[in-house]
């Protein structure tokens, strides 16, 4: 049977883009279908514009720290913020990255099909285009439709006074007092942006502790540095039961156990940063007998083949946020590459433990692998002891020279083999420093091996170097 394409990808986000580039490199005739903006969430409404805002906000925060500059022998005058200019910086970056992504696909000969695509049967895709319905056939199909912000019941979003990160990245205005619901990556990054630009923030977390997904030591240090000294009020163990847009925005806070309203807040704006849900509705999966799981994710096996009652559906794959495996842009890209490898007969599965993540606050947070509680649970289950080492930026020569000594690195490893299980960093350039640990976890290296790596002096990388050396000493002298 002949096909229009070897591979059709539904969704031109980072995952779909990565899959397309790799597909072309191995000789597959490829098309990518996109209903909205090329680049998906990451480029248009997520990673890229938020980092542009964080870069500007970080400069403002730094320039306003007079004591920091005085310690370096520098005196600065007043710092003023042009909100529209900051927003324009983010928008221009989005346009550039989106253009670069689109041009890279065109240059390599990938057909870009504009419209909403859905599975229309085995090895068939229908596309609702501005000019009507179009059907194409493909030997293999990858679904890479991503995710959208999740808005809990009881919260009314108007896109102006109550909004998600999709609207927040436009920075249309700077509310004097903004509530942020959620203390994950998105909430923390926007709290960093808003406070740097002069806003008051109230952070609301339904769970009993802030930053519940982070390693406890990192969360504790981050709260001391990112929250306590800043104009941030916090509520934990409180549910935003109702949020009503307007002037002011009314927020009913309820006890998470009893669901009884215990306090009512009135603020200028409210950012809903409660996570994301898969964009998997109306994808035509029923045409091949596939049902979404109870959370709306597409079921896949270890090689990301879409499954039907536990068995892989031939020539149908899914990657990225739509699978719920790891909702990160670079994870989606890795999955896309893995799927293409499987398509060409080199089956490859993604090692999720070795994929790092970061929050681009000031200072940054990053981690890879297991948290300490996760590692101890695994050790109890599999019968090994877990050891932990912590080192601090305040003892690092480069951090001292920069006057940026807040932070720590935490290394988690097996006491018997020394295998590195997790690494967590809070501090200057944490997002860059974590890669060494990610590569080590991918190769299942031991801390004893890592302790003999040579790091440039004086650099921040020596924070991890010191941790690995201390861990090796613990292995040598238990």
């Amino acid at each position: 049977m002949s096909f229009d394409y070897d591979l059709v990808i539904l969704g031109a986000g980072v995952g779909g883009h990565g899959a397309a580039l790799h597909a072309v490199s191995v000789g597959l005739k490829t098309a990518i279908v996109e209903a909205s903006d090329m680049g998906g969430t990451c480029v248009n409404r997520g990673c890229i514009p938020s980092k542009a805002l964080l870069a500007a906000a970080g400069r403002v925060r730094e320039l306003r720290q007079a004591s920091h500059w005085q310690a370096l022998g520098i005196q600065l005058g007043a710092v003023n913020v042009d909100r529209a200019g900051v927003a324009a910086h983010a928008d221009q970056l989005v346009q550039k990255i989106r253009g670069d992504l689109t041009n890279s696909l065109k240059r390599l000969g990938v057909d870009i099909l504009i419209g909403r695509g859905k599975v229309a049967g085995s090895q068939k895709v229908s596309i609702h285009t501005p000019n009507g319905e179009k059907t194409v056939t493909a030997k293999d199909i990858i679904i890479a439709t991503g995710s959208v912000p999740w808005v809990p019941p009881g919260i009314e979003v108007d896109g102006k006074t109550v909004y998600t990160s999709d609207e927040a990245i436009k920075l249309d205005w700077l509310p004097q007092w903004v509530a942020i619901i959620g203390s994950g990556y998105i909430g923390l990054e926007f709290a960093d942006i808003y406070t740097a630009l002069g806003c008051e923030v109230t952070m609301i977390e339904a769970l009993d502790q802030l930053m519940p997904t982070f390693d406890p030591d990192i969360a504790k240090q981050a709260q001391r540095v990112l929250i306590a000294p800043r104009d941030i009020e916090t509520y934990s163990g409180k549910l935003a039961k109702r949020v009503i847009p307007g002037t002011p925005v009314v927020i009913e806070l309820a006890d998470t156990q009893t669901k009884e309203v215990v306090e009512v807040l009135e603020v200028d704006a409210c950012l809903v940063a409660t996570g994301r849900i898969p964009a998997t509705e109306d994808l035509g999966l029923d045409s091949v007998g596939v049902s979404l799981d109870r959370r709306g994710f597409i079921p896949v096996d270890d090689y990301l083949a879409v499954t039907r009652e536990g068995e892989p559906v031939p020539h149908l794959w899914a990657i990225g946020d739509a699978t719920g495996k790891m909702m990160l842009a670079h994870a989606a890209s890795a999955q896309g590459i893995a799927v293409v490898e499987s398509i060409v007969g080199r089956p490859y599965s993604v090692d999720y433990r070795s994929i790092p993540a970061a929050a681009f606050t000031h200072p940054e947070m990053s981690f890879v692998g297991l948290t300490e509680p996760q590692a101890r649970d695994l050790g109890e289950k599999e019968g090994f002891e877990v050891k932990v080492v912590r080192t601090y930026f305040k003892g690092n020569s480069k951090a001292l020279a920069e006057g940026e000594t807040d932070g720590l690195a935490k290394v988690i490893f097996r006491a018997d083999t020394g295998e590195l299980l997790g690494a967590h960093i809070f501090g200057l350039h944490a997002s860059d420093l974590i890669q060494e640990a990610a590569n080590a976890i991918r190769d299942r290296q031991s801390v004893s091996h890592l302790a003999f790596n040579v790091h440039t002096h004086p650099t921040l990388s020596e924070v991890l170097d010191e941790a690995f050396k201390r861990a090796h000493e613990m292995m040598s002298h238990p």
Side-chain angles (χ1 to χ4, degrees):
M1 180 178 175
S2 64
F3 297 93
D4 297 320
Y5 296 97
D6 297 316
L7 176 63
V8 168
I9 303 164
L10 303 183
V14 171
H17 178 251
L21 296 186
H22 193 53
V24 171
S25 76
V26 296
L28 300 182
K29 183 183 179 184
T30 303
I32 196 162
V33 183
E34 178 55 57
S36 184
D37 298 317
M38 297 295 291
T41 295
C42 174
V43 170
N44 296 286
R45 300 172 297 281
C47 332
I48 300 303
S50 66
K51 299 311 155 291
L53 296 182
L54 282 159
R59 299 292 196 284
V60 171
R61 186 184 300 283
E62 189 177 10
L63 290 168
R64 284 177 172 167
Q65 290 177 333
S67 60
H68 170 78
W69 293 106
Q70 286 169 6
L72 296 174
I74 300 170
Q75 292 184 349
L76 296 177
V79 178
N80 299 311
V81 176
D82 173 13
R83 179 206 56 79
V86 174
H89 164 60
D91 185 57
Q92 288 162 13
L93 180 63
V94 166
Q95 292 184 46
K96 175 177 172 26
I97 300 295
R98 185 168 60 217
D100 290 348
L101 181 147
T102 304
N103 291 335
S104 70
L105 293 173
K106 290 178 178 177
R107 188 170 59 250
L108 292 170
V110 175
D111 284 353
I112 298 173
L113 308 177
I114 302 300
R116 193 179 193 287
K118 61 192 291 187
V119 178
S122 179
Q123 298 175 295
K124 190 183 297 183
V125 169
S126 69
I127 307 163
H128 183 71
T129 76
N131 300 318
E133 205 74 19
K134 177 180 180 179
T135 300
V136 296
T137 58
K139 186 173 183 296
D140 285 274
I141 299 167
I142 296 176
I143 300 171
T145 49
S147 62
V148 294
W150 177 60
V151 179
I155 297 178
E156 184 184 341
V157 172
D158 67 352
K160 296 175 182 178
T161 59
V162 180
Y163 46 83
T164 68
S165 56
D166 281 3
E167 292 80 33
I169 53 92
K170 299 172 186 174
L171 204 69
D172 286 334
W173 65 306
L174 287 173
Q176 186 173 339
W177 183 9
V178 57
I180 298 176
I181 302 174
S183 62
Y185 293 99
I186 297 171
L188 289 167
E189 289 185 348
F190 274 100
D192 198 288
I193 293 165
Y194 280 132
T195 53
L197 299 181
C199 308
E200 297 178 37
V201 170
T202 293
M203 185 170 280
I204 303 164
E205 172 58 57
L207 296 178
D208 288 338
Q209 62 183 49
L210 295 176
M211 305 170 57
T213 59
F214 292 84
D215 183 271
D217 280 337
I218 298 298
K220 182 179 178 182
Q221 179 92 341
Q223 287 177 52
R224 185 181 67 78
V225 177
L226 298 179
I227 295 175
R230 299 180 181 176
D231 205 353
I232 302 176
E233 174 187 37
T234 63
Y235 290 86
S236 55
K238 297 292 184 294
L239 184 70
K241 189 174 182 179
R242 282 189 74 203
V243 178
I244 306 164
T247 307
V249 175
V250 177
I251 302 174
E252 295 181 358
L253 292 181
D255 183 275
T256 51
Q257 304 298 322
T258 66
K259 303 297 188 291
E260 294 293 322
V261 174
V262 294
E263 191 170 348
V264 176
L265 300 179
E266 292 186 350
V267 296
D268 298 309
C270 178
L271 166 62
V272 184
T274 47
R276 302 182 67 84
I277 55 175
T280 51
E281 290 185 4
D282 192 31
L283 286 178
L285 290 171
D286 54 331
S287 70
V288 288
V290 171
S291 299
L292 302 173
D293 73 12
R294 61 181 181 81
R295 297 180 299 162
F297 292 112
I298 300 171
V300 293
D301 66 11
D302 290 343
Y303 293 92
L304 299 159
V306 175
T307 59
R308 177 177 54 221
E309 296 180 354
E311 294 299 319
V313 177
H315 306 291
L316 184 61
W317 315 80
I319 64 172
D321 288 5
T323 68
K325 293 288 185 183
M326 202 172 196
M327 296 175 86
L328 296 167
H330 48 284
S333 184
Q335 289 174 323
I337 292 168
V339 165
V340 171
E341 285 292 293
S342 294
I343 287 172
V344 297
R346 300 189 291 254
Y348 178 76
S349 61
V350 175
D351 175 19
Y352 295 102
R353 187 186 290 182
S354 68
I355 295 179
F360 294 85
T361 48
H362 299 91
E364 296 175 344
M365 290 178 279
S366 63
F367 80 89
V368 64
L370 305 179
T371 63
E372 184 177 345
Q374 288 171 340
R376 295 200 183 282
D377 286 346
L378 183 65
E380 193 171 320
K381 180 181 175 183
E382 297 188 2
F384 61 81
E385 188 182 351
V386 169
K387 294 285 189 183
V388 174
V389 165
R390 299 170 187 82
T391 55
Y392 296 87
F393 279 63
K394 63 185 177 184
N396 178 271
S397 299
K398 182 69 183 303
L400 286 163
E402 295 280 352
E404 300 279 358
T405 57
D406 285 322
L408 79 142
K410 178 176 180 178
V411 164
I412 303 160
F413 60 100
R414 287 181 61 142
D416 52 356
T417 64
E419 180 187 340
L420 181 63
L421 297 175
H424 304 260
I425 306 173
F426 173 69
L428 188 64
H429 296 304
S431 64
D432 301 306
L433 296 174
I434 200 65
Q435 194 60 51
E436 177 184 4
N439 295 344
I441 287 179
R442 179 187 182 278
D443 295 332
R444 301 298 189 258
Q445 291 181 348
S446 74
V447 290
S448 294
H449 174 82
L450 296 166
F452 289 92
N453 288 344
V454 179
H455 294 72
T456 309
H457 176 77
T459 63
L460 298 171
S461 70
E462 291 174 293
V463 172
L464 270 183
D465 181 47
E466 184 183 351
F468 294 143
K469 284 178 166 56
R470 286 190 190 176
H472 173 59
E473 288 174 11
M474 290 175 70
M475 293 283 297
S476 305
H477 307 95

